[in-house]
Amino acid sequence: PPGNPFRGKVVLLMGASPGQFGATRSLAATRLILTALQVYVLPQMVMVPHADKAFDSAGRLVDPKIQAQVEKTCAELIRVTGLLAGVQKGA
């Protein structure tokens, strides 16, 4: 498409995998791609290891620490997105 539709978007990276690293490598690769596309990628990431055991039958995270991390990083995403929206309106 003409232009770059990704430029200026804000992204929070999250990943889950059945391994012990929770998609760490794929998140790092995704960060590089998005940065090249001029996306604002938050420094925080959420990684869910052992995803095959990390969720209950309703799809909720079992580990309260990971759930708290998701909530905290999503709140940061909302905060930063709001700040950038204000800056872009003023520009």
Side-chain angles (χ1 to χ4, degrees), residues 14-71:
M14 292 193 222
S17 74
Q20 67 182 0
F21 297 111
T24 301
R25 284 181 239 144
S26 63
L27 291 176
T30 303
R31 178 180 295 280
L32 289 172
I33 294 165
L34 292 173
T35 301
L37 291 170
Q38 300 175 349
V39 172
Y40 297 109
V41 183
L42 295 182
Q44 304 89 340
M45 295 187 292
V46 177
M47 294 160 279
V48 181
H50 307 290
D52 54 328
K53 300 173 192 131
F55 300 91
D56 65 16
S57 60
R60 292 182 296 258
L61 284 163
V62 175
D63 186 337
K65 289 180 184 177
I66 295 176
Q67 179 62 39
Q69 184 182 15
V70 168
E71 291 172 10

